[in-house]
Amino acid sequence: MRPAPALDQRFSLYLDLVRIAAALAVVVAHFGYFRIFDARQVAQLPDFGREAVIAFFVLSGFVIAYSADTKNTTLASYAAARCARLYSVVLPVLLLAFLLAPLAAGITHTPLDDAYQFHKPWAYLPFHLLFLGDAWGFSERPPWLLPYWSLDYEAWYYVLFGAACYLRGRRRTLALAAVLALVGPRLWLLLPIWLSGVMLYRWQKTATLPAGLARAGWLLSVLAVALWGWFDPEPYLRTLANAAWPFPGIRMGSADRVLADYAVCIMVLVNFACARHAGFGALLRVGPAIRRLSAHTFTLYLSHALVIGAWMAALPVERGHWLDIATIGFAIAVTTLCLQPLTEALQRVLHARLSALFAARGRTLHPIP
C-alpha cells in the first residue's frame, strides 16, 4: 500500500476543523473562568480549554514540520514566515491591550492587577514581544490577554525547531543550548508535546493504516477525550507534578498540568494519526467554509480575552444571563471579523519586508562571488 500524502486535502481540512473547535473551546472555557457563566452552566459545560491548547501545540508541530519540508526550505524563509504569522496578530492585539486597559481603568476608576506594566511600557512591551513571560522565574501576562501564555511557549519552540532544522554542526549545538538555557525548565517540560507533532508528521510520511482500523482508532480517541473530561483526573495529576517539581525557587506556573498534558497529547496524536486515513471525504463539501473560519482562529484565540476584559471593565455582567452571554459572544465575533483583515494585511507586509531583510542579511554574510 502506497503512503498517502502527509497533508492531503481531506486531512488538511480536518486539522482546520480541529483548529476551529479548539479555539471555540478556549473561548467557552474563559466564559467560565471570567465568571460570565454561572455555577450551573460551568457544571454542565465541560472545560476543555487546556486540552484545546495541547491540541494546538501538537497541530503546530505537525504543520511547522510540513511547512519546513515543503515550503520554507531555508532559515531565512522559515524565520520570515514564522515572525510574520506571529506578529501580525500579536502586534495589534498587544498594543490594543496596553491602550485600552489603562483607559478603561481611568474611566471607571477601577484598579488594574497589571497596573505596574503601564508605568514601564518601554520595558514590558518588548518583554512580551520577545515572549519571555514564562522564562525561568517569570510569570507575566499582558493585561487582559490570559491566552498569551501559550505563545510564550510556542514562539520559542519555533526558534528551537529552526535551529535544529536549518543549522548544522557546532552552530546548531550552541544555538540549541543557548535557547534552552534562556527559556528555562517550564518550557522544557512542554517541549515534548510540541515535538510530538513534528514526529507525527515524519511518521505519517511513510506510515499507512487501513481505513477501518483508522476509523475505529479515531472513534476511540474521541471517546477517550470525552471520558477524560467526565472523570477529570487533572487535579490529582497536577498535585503529583507539583510534588515532583525539582526547582523549589521557581513556580511551575503554566506547566503545572504537565502530566495531564502528556496524557492528552497521546489522545491527540492517536486522533490525528487515525484521522489522516479515516477518509473524511464529506469535509470536501464544506471545505471553503472550513477554510474561511479556520483563517480567523488565531485572531479569535488572542483577541477574545481582550474583548472580555474590556467588557467587564466597562459594563456590569449578570452571571449566567443569556443576553449577557450572547452579547459578549457577538462582540467577540465582531472584533475578530474586524481585526482579521488588518492581521492578514499586516502578515503580508511583514512577510515581504522580513523576507527581503533576511535575504539581504544572507547575501551580506555569504556574498556572491
Side-chain angles (χ1 to χ4, degrees):
M1 183 183 297
R2 187 176 180 180
L7 195 59
D8 61 19
Q9 188 176 7
R10 288 176 298 180
F11 187 41
S12 177
L13 286 170
Y14 178 78
L15 294 182
D16 282 342
L17 195 60
V18 169
R19 191 180 284 112
I20 296 166
L24 291 174
V26 172
V27 175
V28 170
H30 286 159
F31 270 48
Y33 179 86
F34 289 106
R35 301 172 68 83
I36 299 170
F37 291 149
D38 61 23
R40 178 182 57 83
Q41 291 163 338
V42 170
Q44 290 175 344
L45 294 170
D47 182 348
F48 283 114
R50 179 70 176 209
E51 290 78 6
V53 173
I54 298 307
F56 275 133
F57 277 6
V58 178
L59 177 58
S60 174
F62 185 98
V63 173
I64 295 305
Y66 167 77
S67 177
D69 199 25
T70 59
K71 300 176 184 177
N72 306 129
T73 56
T74 67
L75 179 58
S77 64
Y78 173 80
R82 299 279 55 82
C83 288
R85 179 59 178 146
L86 271 175
Y87 287 114
S88 63
V89 177
V90 165
L91 276 172
V93 173
L94 188 61
L95 290 175
L96 280 173
F98 268 80
L99 288 171
L100 293 178
L103 179 63
I107 293 173
T108 61
H109 304 289
T110 304
L112 282 169
D113 293 337
D114 303 312
Y116 62 91
Q117 297 195 32
F118 304 114
H119 299 312
K120 296 181 179 179
W122 59 87
Y124 281 100
L125 274 171
F127 178 84
H128 291 305
L129 289 172
L130 291 173
F131 305 103
L132 293 171
D134 266 271
W136 287 97
F138 289 116
S139 185
E140 296 285 348
R141 302 287 170 264
W144 292 353
L145 296 182
L146 183 63
Y148 205 92
W149 76 267
S150 67
L151 302 185
D152 289 334
Y153 286 73
E154 193 167 351
W156 287 106
Y157 296 159
Y158 292 166
V159 176
L160 286 165
F161 179 84
C165 185
Y166 297 100
L167 300 181
R168 295 291 180 268
R170 183 183 231 181
R171 291 177 65 194
R172 175 164 61 186
T173 302
L174 290 175
L176 291 173
V179 174
L180 288 170
L182 172 66
V183 299
R186 282 183 297 201
L187 272 75
W188 304 343
L189 281 181
L190 299 190
L191 178 58
I193 295 172
W194 194 90
L195 288 177
S196 72
V198 178
M199 298 300 104
L200 178 64
Y201 168 74
R202 293 180 176 173
W203 175 78
Q204 290 200 143
K205 288 175 69 175
T206 56
T208 58
L209 287 175
L213 179 62
R215 289 167 189 158
W218 181 85
L219 284 172
L220 285 173
S221 69
V222 172
L223 177 61
V225 171
L227 290 173
W228 175 271
W230 178 266
F231 289 105
D232 191 20
E234 185 211 289
Y236 171 72
L237 294 173
R238 188 188 295 192
T239 301
L240 289 180
N242 277 282
W245 180 242
F247 302 98
I250 303 173
R251 292 189 301 110
M252 289 195 77
S254 300
D256 67 352
R257 306 184 190 185
V258 60
L259 295 179
D261 293 341
Y262 287 162
V264 172
C265 175
I266 293 172
M267 299 179 220
V268 173
L269 287 171
V270 172
N271 183 277
F272 287 0
C274 293
R276 177 196 166 201
H277 302 278
F280 293 131
L283 294 179
L284 297 173
R285 301 174 195 166
V286 290
I290 292 174
R291 296 289 192 209
R292 282 194 296 271
L293 289 172
S294 178
H296 293 73
T297 51
F298 187 19
T299 305
L300 170 64
Y301 176 77
L302 198 57
S303 67
H304 78 273
L306 180 67
V307 176
I308 292 174
W311 188 284
M312 299 187 76
L315 298 168
V317 175
E318 183 179 348
R319 287 194 68 189
H321 194 278
W322 68 268
L323 183 58
D324 281 3
I325 294 171
T327 308
I328 295 173
F330 180 74
I332 289 171
V334 169
T335 301
T336 302
L337 289 172
C338 291
L339 280 175
Q340 187 63 24
L342 171 63
T343 62
E344 289 177 351
L346 187 56
Q347 183 176 358
R348 290 192 295 269
V349 171
L350 286 173
H351 191 267
R353 297 289 177 85
L354 291 172
S355 295
L357 176 64
F358 293 151
R361 180 65 176 167
R363 286 194 296 270
T364 301
L365 294 175
H366 305 286
I368 299 173

